[in-house]
PDB file of all heavy atoms in Angstrom:
ATOM      1  N   ARG E 127      -7.294 -10.998 -18.844  1.00  0.00           N
ATOM      2  CA  ARG E 127      -6.117 -11.468 -19.731  1.00  0.00           C
ATOM      3  C   ARG E 127      -4.878 -10.695 -19.223  1.00  0.00           C
ATOM      4  O   ARG E 127      -3.765 -11.300 -19.102  1.00  0.00           O
ATOM      5  CB  ARG E 127      -6.401 -11.125 -21.222  1.00  0.00           C
ATOM      6  CG  ARG E 127      -5.223 -11.259 -22.166  1.00  0.00           C
ATOM      7  CD  ARG E 127      -4.893 -12.724 -22.422  1.00  0.00           C
ATOM      8  NE  ARG E 127      -3.731 -12.800 -23.343  1.00  0.00           N
ATOM      9  CZ  ARG E 127      -3.833 -12.898 -24.624  1.00  0.00           C
ATOM     10  NH1 ARG E 127      -5.023 -12.866 -25.283  1.00  0.00           N
ATOM     11  NH2 ARG E 127      -2.763 -12.987 -25.458  1.00  0.00           N
ATOM     12  N   MET E 128      -5.023  -9.405 -18.892  1.00  0.00           N
ATOM     13  CA  MET E 128      -3.917  -8.626 -18.387  1.00  0.00           C
ATOM     14  C   MET E 128      -3.342  -9.217 -17.087  1.00  0.00           C
ATOM     15  O   MET E 128      -2.111  -9.369 -16.990  1.00  0.00           O
ATOM     16  CB  MET E 128      -4.256  -7.192 -18.247  1.00  0.00           C
ATOM     17  CG  MET E 128      -3.155  -6.334 -17.674  1.00  0.00           C
ATOM     18  SD  MET E 128      -3.604  -4.571 -17.532  1.00  0.00           S
ATOM     19  CE  MET E 128      -4.735  -4.605 -16.151  1.00  0.00           C
ATOM     20  N   MET E 129      -4.260  -9.559 -16.187  1.00  0.00           N
ATOM     21  CA  MET E 129      -3.758 -10.096 -14.885  1.00  0.00           C
ATOM     22  C   MET E 129      -3.112 -11.377 -15.054  1.00  0.00           C
ATOM     23  O   MET E 129      -2.109 -11.725 -14.450  1.00  0.00           O
ATOM     24  CB  MET E 129      -4.889 -10.219 -13.895  1.00  0.00           C
ATOM     25  CG  MET E 129      -5.610  -8.816 -13.618  1.00  0.00           C
ATOM     26  SD  MET E 129      -4.437  -7.458 -13.159  1.00  0.00           S
ATOM     27  CE  MET E 129      -3.796  -8.056 -11.621  1.00  0.00           C
ATOM     28  N   ARG E 130      -3.571 -12.351 -15.928  1.00  0.00           N
ATOM     29  CA  ARG E 130      -2.874 -13.558 -16.188  1.00  0.00           C
ATOM     30  C   ARG E 130      -1.485 -13.354 -16.805  1.00  0.00           C
ATOM     31  O   ARG E 130      -0.569 -13.932 -16.297  1.00  0.00           O
ATOM     32  CB  ARG E 130      -3.764 -14.457 -17.174  1.00  0.00           C
ATOM     33  CG  ARG E 130      -4.872 -15.165 -16.531  1.00  0.00           C
ATOM     34  CD  ARG E 130      -5.434 -16.209 -17.485  1.00  0.00           C
ATOM     35  NE  ARG E 130      -6.054 -15.636 -18.673  1.00  0.00           N
ATOM     36  CZ  ARG E 130      -7.304 -15.246 -18.753  1.00  0.00           C
ATOM     37  NH1 ARG E 130      -8.163 -15.378 -17.778  1.00  0.00           N
ATOM     38  NH2 ARG E 130      -7.746 -14.724 -19.931  1.00  0.00           N
ATOM     39  N   GLU E 131      -1.458 -12.406 -17.703  1.00  0.00           N
ATOM     40  CA  GLU E 131      -0.105 -12.162 -18.335  1.00  0.00           C
ATOM     41  C   GLU E 131       0.836 -11.469 -17.256  1.00  0.00           C
ATOM     42  O   GLU E 131       2.047 -11.754 -17.222  1.00  0.00           O
ATOM     43  CB  GLU E 131      -0.301 -11.265 -19.502  1.00  0.00           C
ATOM     44  CG  GLU E 131      -1.163 -11.883 -20.688  1.00  0.00           C
ATOM     45  CD  GLU E 131      -0.468 -12.993 -21.341  1.00  0.00           C
ATOM     46  OE1 GLU E 131       0.719 -13.122 -21.270  1.00  0.00           O
ATOM     47  OE2 GLU E 131      -1.209 -13.822 -21.905  1.00  0.00           O
ATOM     48  N   LEU E 132       0.235 -10.582 -16.512  1.00  0.00           N
ATOM     49  CA  LEU E 132       1.031  -9.851 -15.433  1.00  0.00           C
ATOM     50  C   LEU E 132       1.685 -10.823 -14.464  1.00  0.00           C
ATOM     51  O   LEU E 132       2.843 -10.741 -14.101  1.00  0.00           O
ATOM     52  CB  LEU E 132       0.281  -8.884 -14.735  1.00  0.00           C
ATOM     53  CG  LEU E 132       1.000  -7.888 -13.778  1.00  0.00           C
ATOM     54  CD1 LEU E 132       1.894  -6.912 -14.640  1.00  0.00           C
ATOM     55  CD2 LEU E 132      -0.013  -7.057 -12.957  1.00  0.00           C
ATOM     56  N   GLY E 133       0.858 -11.751 -13.985  1.00  0.00           N
ATOM     57  CA  GLY E 133       1.342 -12.692 -12.996  1.00  0.00           C
ATOM     58  C   GLY E 133       2.517 -13.522 -13.448  1.00  0.00           C
ATOM     59  O   GLY E 133       3.438 -13.805 -12.712  1.00  0.00           O
ATOM     60  N   LYS E 134       2.554 -13.819 -14.835  1.00  0.00           N
ATOM     61  CA  LYS E 134       3.551 -14.542 -15.435  1.00  0.00           C
ATOM     62  C   LYS E 134       4.771 -13.698 -15.567  1.00  0.00           C
ATOM     63  O   LYS E 134       5.996 -14.024 -15.253  1.00  0.00           O
ATOM     64  CB  LYS E 134       3.175 -15.181 -16.727  1.00  0.00           C
ATOM     65  CG  LYS E 134       2.177 -16.253 -16.637  1.00  0.00           C
ATOM     66  CD  LYS E 134       1.861 -16.843 -17.991  1.00  0.00           C
ATOM     67  CE  LYS E 134       0.932 -15.989 -18.807  1.00  0.00           C
ATOM     68  NZ  LYS E 134       0.509 -16.650 -20.104  1.00  0.00           N
ATOM     69  N   VAL E 135       4.646 -12.484 -16.085  1.00  0.00           N
ATOM     70  CA  VAL E 135       5.824 -11.654 -16.438  1.00  0.00           C
ATOM     71  C   VAL E 135       6.553 -11.138 -15.179  1.00  0.00           C
ATOM     72  O   VAL E 135       7.766 -10.948 -15.163  1.00  0.00           O
ATOM     73  CB  VAL E 135       5.415 -10.410 -17.386  1.00  0.00           C
ATOM     74  CG1 VAL E 135       4.650  -9.339 -16.653  1.00  0.00           C
ATOM     75  CG2 VAL E 135       6.689  -9.877 -18.096  1.00  0.00           C
ATOM     76  N   LEU E 136       5.817 -10.856 -14.114  1.00  0.00           N
ATOM     77  CA  LEU E 136       6.379 -10.289 -12.887  1.00  0.00           C
ATOM     78  C   LEU E 136       7.299 -11.365 -12.161  1.00  0.00           C
ATOM     79  O   LEU E 136       8.081 -11.011 -11.372  1.00  0.00           O
ATOM     80  CB  LEU E 136       5.312  -9.845 -11.967  1.00  0.00           C
ATOM     81  CG  LEU E 136       4.569  -8.556 -12.402  1.00  0.00           C
ATOM     82  CD1 LEU E 136       3.583  -8.168 -11.270  1.00  0.00           C
ATOM     83  CD2 LEU E 136       5.514  -7.449 -12.701  1.00  0.00           C
ATOM     84  N   ARG E 137       7.119 -12.554 -12.505  1.00  0.00           N
ATOM     85  CA  ARG E 137       7.976 -13.643 -11.883  1.00  0.00           C
ATOM     86  C   ARG E 137       9.450 -13.412 -12.003  1.00  0.00           C
ATOM     87  O   ARG E 137      10.221 -13.807 -11.151  1.00  0.00           O
ATOM     88  CB  ARG E 137       7.567 -14.984 -12.494  1.00  0.00           C
ATOM     89  CG  ARG E 137       8.325 -16.224 -11.875  1.00  0.00           C
ATOM     90  CD  ARG E 137       7.895 -17.484 -12.631  1.00  0.00           C
ATOM     91  NE  ARG E 137       6.563 -17.882 -12.250  1.00  0.00           N
ATOM     92  CZ  ARG E 137       6.217 -18.687 -11.268  1.00  0.00           C
ATOM     93  NH1 ARG E 137       7.155 -19.162 -10.441  1.00  0.00           N
ATOM     94  NH2 ARG E 137       4.958 -19.042 -11.042  1.00  0.00           N
ATOM     95  N   THR E 138       9.794 -12.798 -13.118  1.00  0.00           N
ATOM     96  CA  THR E 138      11.276 -12.546 -13.377  1.00  0.00           C
ATOM     97  C   THR E 138      11.503 -11.049 -13.656  1.00  0.00           C
ATOM     98  O   THR E 138      12.675 -10.693 -13.874  1.00  0.00           O
ATOM     99  CB  THR E 138      11.778 -13.272 -14.621  1.00  0.00           C
ATOM    100  OG1 THR E 138      10.992 -13.019 -15.680  1.00  0.00           O
ATOM    101  CG2 THR E 138      11.688 -14.817 -14.305  1.00  0.00           C
ATOM    102  N   TRP E 139      10.462 -10.203 -13.514  1.00  0.00           N
ATOM    103  CA  TRP E 139      10.756  -8.745 -13.849  1.00  0.00           C
ATOM    104  C   TRP E 139      11.631  -8.046 -12.820  1.00  0.00           C
ATOM    105  O   TRP E 139      11.357  -8.069 -11.620  1.00  0.00           O
ATOM    106  CB  TRP E 139       9.320  -8.086 -13.891  1.00  0.00           C
ATOM    107  CG  TRP E 139       9.368  -6.651 -14.290  1.00  0.00           C
ATOM    108  CD1 TRP E 139       9.115  -5.544 -13.548  1.00  0.00           C
ATOM    109  CD2 TRP E 139       9.685  -6.123 -15.598  1.00  0.00           C
ATOM    110  NE1 TRP E 139       9.232  -4.360 -14.279  1.00  0.00           N
ATOM    111  CE2 TRP E 139       9.563  -4.757 -15.570  1.00  0.00           C
ATOM    112  CE3 TRP E 139       9.991  -6.701 -16.831  1.00  0.00           C
ATOM    113  CZ2 TRP E 139       9.736  -3.905 -16.578  1.00  0.00           C
ATOM    114  CZ3 TRP E 139      10.190  -5.915 -17.985  1.00  0.00           C
ATOM    115  CH2 TRP E 139      10.123  -4.538 -17.812  1.00  0.00           C
ATOM    116  N   GLN E 140      12.684  -7.461 -13.359  1.00  0.00           N
ATOM    117  CA  GLN E 140      13.594  -6.740 -12.510  1.00  0.00           C
ATOM    118  C   GLN E 140      14.198  -7.475 -11.366  1.00  0.00           C
ATOM    119  O   GLN E 140      14.442  -6.884 -10.376  1.00  0.00           O
ATOM    120  CB  GLN E 140      12.931  -5.470 -12.040  1.00  0.00           C
ATOM    121  CG  GLN E 140      12.536  -4.503 -13.159  1.00  0.00           C
ATOM    122  CD  GLN E 140      11.777  -3.274 -12.618  1.00  0.00           C
ATOM    123  OE1 GLN E 140      11.093  -3.269 -11.655  1.00  0.00           O
ATOM    124  NE2 GLN E 140      11.895  -2.156 -13.433  1.00  0.00           N
ATOM    125  N   ALA E 141      14.352  -8.753 -11.557  1.00  0.00           N
ATOM    126  CA  ALA E 141      14.914  -9.612 -10.442  1.00  0.00           C
ATOM    127  C   ALA E 141      16.315  -9.337 -10.203  1.00  0.00           C
ATOM    128  O   ALA E 141      16.923  -9.435  -9.143  1.00  0.00           O
ATOM    129  CB  ALA E 141      14.666 -11.043 -10.776  1.00  0.00           C
ATOM    130  N   GLY E 142      17.089  -8.923 -11.296  1.00  0.00           N
ATOM    131  CA  GLY E 142      18.545  -8.620 -11.046  1.00  0.00           C
ATOM    132  C   GLY E 142      19.305  -9.876 -10.688  1.00  0.00           C
ATOM    133  O   GLY E 142      18.990 -10.944 -11.349  1.00  0.00           O
ATOM    134  N   GLU E 143      20.071  -9.843  -9.733  1.00  0.00           N
ATOM    135  CA  GLU E 143      20.790 -11.006  -9.261  1.00  0.00           C
ATOM    136  C   GLU E 143      20.030 -11.787  -8.141  1.00  0.00           C
ATOM    137  O   GLU E 143      20.444 -12.772  -7.629  1.00  0.00           O
ATOM    138  CB  GLU E 143      22.107 -10.573  -8.665  1.00  0.00           C
ATOM    139  CG  GLU E 143      23.140  -9.880  -9.632  1.00  0.00           C
ATOM    140  CD  GLU E 143      23.482 -10.848 -10.839  1.00  0.00           C
ATOM    141  OE1 GLU E 143      23.677 -11.977 -10.524  1.00  0.00           O
ATOM    142  OE2 GLU E 143      23.421 -10.261 -12.013  1.00  0.00           O
ATOM    143  N   GLY E 144      18.789 -11.280  -7.829  1.00  0.00           N
ATOM    144  CA  GLY E 144      18.065 -11.915  -6.787  1.00  0.00           C
ATOM    145  C   GLY E 144      16.872 -12.766  -7.347  1.00  0.00           C
ATOM    146  O   GLY E 144      16.973 -13.365  -8.421  1.00  0.00           O
ATOM    147  N   GLU E 145      15.761 -12.671  -6.668  1.00  0.00           N
ATOM    148  CA  GLU E 145      14.599 -13.373  -7.057  1.00  0.00           C
ATOM    149  C   GLU E 145      13.329 -12.571  -6.696  1.00  0.00           C
ATOM    150  O   GLU E 145      13.315 -11.858  -5.776  1.00  0.00           O
ATOM    151  CB  GLU E 145      14.482 -14.823  -6.410  1.00  0.00           C
ATOM    152  CG  GLU E 145      14.304 -14.652  -4.919  1.00  0.00           C
ATOM    153  CD  GLU E 145      14.098 -16.046  -4.307  1.00  0.00           C
ATOM    154  OE1 GLU E 145      13.209 -16.751  -4.667  1.00  0.00           O
ATOM    155  OE2 GLU E 145      14.928 -16.354  -3.297  1.00  0.00           O
ATOM    156  N   VAL E 146      12.276 -12.721  -7.547  1.00  0.00           N
ATOM    157  CA  VAL E 146      11.032 -12.211  -7.269  1.00  0.00           C
ATOM    158  C   VAL E 146      10.275 -13.286  -6.532  1.00  0.00           C
ATOM    159  O   VAL E 146       9.884 -14.270  -7.200  1.00  0.00           O
ATOM    160  CB  VAL E 146      10.210 -11.723  -8.567  1.00  0.00           C
ATOM    161  CG1 VAL E 146       8.896 -11.213  -8.082  1.00  0.00           C
ATOM    162  CG2 VAL E 146      11.083 -10.629  -9.214  1.00  0.00           C
ATOM    163  N   ALA E 147       9.999 -13.150  -5.249  1.00  0.00           N
ATOM    164  CA  ALA E 147       9.427 -14.187  -4.480  1.00  0.00           C
ATOM    165  C   ALA E 147       7.862 -14.167  -4.469  1.00  0.00           C
ATOM    166  O   ALA E 147       7.217 -15.200  -4.355  1.00  0.00           O
ATOM    167  CB  ALA E 147       9.886 -14.237  -2.981  1.00  0.00           C
ATOM    168  N   PHE E 148       7.327 -12.973  -4.521  1.00  0.00           N
ATOM    169  CA  PHE E 148       5.866 -12.810  -4.506  1.00  0.00           C
ATOM    170  C   PHE E 148       5.541 -11.389  -5.001  1.00  0.00           C
ATOM    171  O   PHE E 148       6.396 -10.516  -5.180  1.00  0.00           O
ATOM    172  CB  PHE E 148       5.293 -13.062  -3.101  1.00  0.00           C
ATOM    173  CG  PHE E 148       5.844 -12.011  -2.075  1.00  0.00           C
ATOM    174  CD1 PHE E 148       5.092 -11.037  -1.617  1.00  0.00           C
ATOM    175  CD2 PHE E 148       7.155 -12.173  -1.534  1.00  0.00           C
ATOM    176  CE1 PHE E 148       5.524 -10.102  -0.648  1.00  0.00           C
ATOM    177  CE2 PHE E 148       7.598 -11.262  -0.583  1.00  0.00           C
ATOM    178  CZ  PHE E 148       6.815 -10.244  -0.092  1.00  0.00           C
ATOM    179  N   THR E 149       4.248 -11.203  -5.306  1.00  0.00           N
ATOM    180  CA  THR E 149       3.684  -9.890  -5.664  1.00  0.00           C
ATOM    181  C   THR E 149       2.489  -9.684  -4.819  1.00  0.00           C
ATOM    182  O   THR E 149       1.822 -10.609  -4.309  1.00  0.00           O
ATOM    183  CB  THR E 149       3.323  -9.804  -7.122  1.00  0.00           C
ATOM    184  OG1 THR E 149       2.267 -10.747  -7.413  1.00  0.00           O
ATOM    185  CG2 THR E 149       4.480 -10.037  -8.021  1.00  0.00           C
ATOM    186  N   VAL E 150       2.113  -8.368  -4.617  1.00  0.00           N
ATOM    187  CA  VAL E 150       0.949  -8.003  -3.891  1.00  0.00           C
ATOM    188  C   VAL E 150       0.035  -6.974  -4.609  1.00  0.00           C
ATOM    189  O   VAL E 150       0.601  -6.304  -5.449  1.00  0.00           O
ATOM    190  CB  VAL E 150       1.364  -7.433  -2.445  1.00  0.00           C
ATOM    191  CG1 VAL E 150       2.115  -8.370  -1.597  1.00  0.00           C
ATOM    192  CG2 VAL E 150       2.140  -6.102  -2.613  1.00  0.00           C
ATOM    193  N   LEU E 151      -1.212  -7.025  -4.199  1.00  0.00           N
ATOM    194  CA  LEU E 151      -2.070  -5.956  -4.729  1.00  0.00           C
ATOM    195  C   LEU E 151      -3.129  -5.695  -3.652  1.00  0.00           C
ATOM    196  O   LEU E 151      -3.279  -6.509  -2.696  1.00  0.00           O
ATOM    197  CB  LEU E 151      -2.756  -6.282  -6.129  1.00  0.00           C
ATOM    198  CG  LEU E 151      -3.501  -7.532  -6.205  1.00  0.00           C
ATOM    199  CD1 LEU E 151      -4.965  -7.459  -5.724  1.00  0.00           C
ATOM    200  CD2 LEU E 151      -3.705  -7.847  -7.759  1.00  0.00           C
ATOM    201  N   PHE E 152      -3.833  -4.692  -3.757  1.00  0.00           N
ATOM    202  CA  PHE E 152      -4.867  -4.220  -2.836  1.00  0.00           C
ATOM    203  C   PHE E 152      -6.129  -3.989  -3.479  1.00  0.00           C
ATOM    204  O   PHE E 152      -6.433  -2.932  -4.089  1.00  0.00           O
ATOM    205  CB  PHE E 152      -4.327  -2.938  -2.016  1.00  0.00           C
ATOM    206  CG  PHE E 152      -3.056  -3.241  -1.358  1.00  0.00           C
ATOM    207  CD1 PHE E 152      -1.812  -3.161  -2.094  1.00  0.00           C
ATOM    208  CD2 PHE E 152      -3.045  -3.644  -0.037  1.00  0.00           C
ATOM    209  CE1 PHE E 152      -0.593  -3.455  -1.494  1.00  0.00           C
ATOM    210  CE2 PHE E 152      -1.820  -3.953   0.591  1.00  0.00           C
ATOM    211  CZ  PHE E 152      -0.618  -3.779  -0.115  1.00  0.00           C
ATOM    212  N   SER E 153      -7.020  -5.003  -3.496  1.00  0.00           N
ATOM    213  CA  SER E 153      -8.178  -5.061  -4.299  1.00  0.00           C
ATOM    214  C   SER E 153      -9.293  -4.170  -3.835  1.00  0.00           C
ATOM    215  O   SER E 153      -9.626  -4.158  -2.520  1.00  0.00           O
ATOM    216  CB  SER E 153      -8.741  -6.502  -4.436  1.00  0.00           C
ATOM    217  OG  SER E 153     -10.072  -6.485  -5.012  1.00  0.00           O
ATOM    218  N   ASP E 154      -9.917  -3.372  -4.620  1.00  0.00           N
ATOM    219  CA  ASP E 154     -11.061  -2.564  -4.376  1.00  0.00           C
ATOM    220  C   ASP E 154     -12.425  -3.141  -4.886  1.00  0.00           C
ATOM    221  O   ASP E 154     -13.411  -2.466  -4.923  1.00  0.00           O
ATOM    222  CB  ASP E 154     -10.923  -1.127  -4.766  1.00  0.00           C
ATOM    223  CG  ASP E 154      -9.879  -0.367  -3.886  1.00  0.00           C
ATOM    224  OD1 ASP E 154      -9.817  -0.708  -2.660  1.00  0.00           O
ATOM    225  OD2 ASP E 154      -9.207   0.586  -4.367  1.00  0.00           O
ATOM    226  N   ILE E 155     -12.382  -4.424  -5.335  1.00  0.00           N
ATOM    227  CA  ILE E 155     -13.487  -5.033  -5.936  1.00  0.00           C
ATOM    228  C   ILE E 155     -13.790  -6.363  -5.233  1.00  0.00           C
ATOM    229  O   ILE E 155     -14.145  -7.347  -5.856  1.00  0.00           O
ATOM    230  CB  ILE E 155     -13.335  -5.187  -7.436  1.00  0.00           C
ATOM    231  CG1 ILE E 155     -12.054  -5.874  -7.863  1.00  0.00           C
ATOM    232  CG2 ILE E 155     -13.512  -3.847  -8.081  1.00  0.00           C
ATOM    233  CD1 ILE E 155     -11.984  -6.190  -9.309  1.00  0.00           C
ATOM    234  N   GLY E 156     -13.407  -6.436  -3.999  1.00  0.00           N
ATOM    235  CA  GLY E 156     -13.652  -7.716  -3.202  1.00  0.00           C
ATOM    236  C   GLY E 156     -12.594  -8.652  -3.310  1.00  0.00           C
ATOM    237  O   GLY E 156     -11.446  -8.377  -3.687  1.00  0.00           O
ATOM    238  N   LYS E 157     -12.928  -9.866  -2.764  1.00  0.00           N
ATOM    239  CA  LYS E 157     -11.831 -10.951  -2.573  1.00  0.00           C
ATOM    240  C   LYS E 157     -11.771 -11.981  -3.678  1.00  0.00           C
ATOM    241  O   LYS E 157     -10.828 -12.766  -3.801  1.00  0.00           O
ATOM    242  CB  LYS E 157     -12.008 -11.625  -1.234  1.00  0.00           C
ATOM    243  CG  LYS E 157     -12.024 -10.699  -0.047  1.00  0.00           C
ATOM    244  CD  LYS E 157     -12.277 -11.431   1.282  1.00  0.00           C
ATOM    245  CE  LYS E 157     -12.119 -10.477   2.431  1.00  0.00           C
ATOM    246  NZ  LYS E 157     -12.390 -11.215   3.726  1.00  0.00           N
ATOM    247  N   LYS E 158     -12.786 -12.072  -4.569  1.00  0.00           N
ATOM    248  CA  LYS E 158     -12.723 -13.221  -5.505  1.00  0.00           C
ATOM    249  C   LYS E 158     -12.178 -12.941  -6.808  1.00  0.00           C
ATOM    250  O   LYS E 158     -11.532 -13.800  -7.445  1.00  0.00           O
ATOM    251  CB  LYS E 158     -14.239 -13.594  -5.768  1.00  0.00           C
ATOM    252  CG  LYS E 158     -14.965 -14.109  -4.503  1.00  0.00           C
ATOM    253  CD  LYS E 158     -16.385 -14.405  -4.771  1.00  0.00           C
ATOM    254  CE  LYS E 158     -17.132 -15.079  -3.599  1.00  0.00           C
ATOM    255  NZ  LYS E 158     -18.536 -15.412  -3.907  1.00  0.00           N
ATOM    256  N   TYR E 159     -12.184 -11.653  -7.333  1.00  0.00           N
ATOM    257  CA  TYR E 159     -11.785 -11.451  -8.654  1.00  0.00           C
ATOM    258  C   TYR E 159     -10.290 -11.723  -8.909  1.00  0.00           C
ATOM    259  O   TYR E 159      -9.868 -12.514  -9.707  1.00  0.00           O
ATOM    260  CB  TYR E 159     -12.120 -10.010  -9.141  1.00  0.00           C
ATOM    261  CG  TYR E 159     -11.706  -9.764 -10.578  1.00  0.00           C
ATOM    262  CD1 TYR E 159     -12.589 -10.056 -11.550  1.00  0.00           C
ATOM    263  CD2 TYR E 159     -10.514  -9.129 -10.883  1.00  0.00           C
ATOM    264  CE1 TYR E 159     -12.200  -9.871 -12.950  1.00  0.00           C
ATOM    265  CE2 TYR E 159     -10.072  -8.884 -12.146  1.00  0.00           C
ATOM    266  CZ  TYR E 159     -10.963  -9.249 -13.198  1.00  0.00           C
ATOM    267  OH  TYR E 159     -10.543  -9.077 -14.488  1.00  0.00           O
TER     268      TYR E 159
END
Side-chain angles (χ1 to χ4, degrees):
R127 173 70 180 269
M128 179 177 71
M129 299 311 295
R130 279 193 295 271
E131 300 293 336
L132 185 68
K134 291 184 288 186
V135 75
L136 291 182
R137 181 184 288 269
T138 56
W139 183 250
Q140 297 177 330
E143 298 300 317
E145 64 175 305
V146 179
F148 63 102
T149 64
V150 298
L151 60 77
F152 301 84
S153 170
D154 287 329
I155 54 174
K157 299 180 178 181
K158 295 181 179 180
Y159 182 82

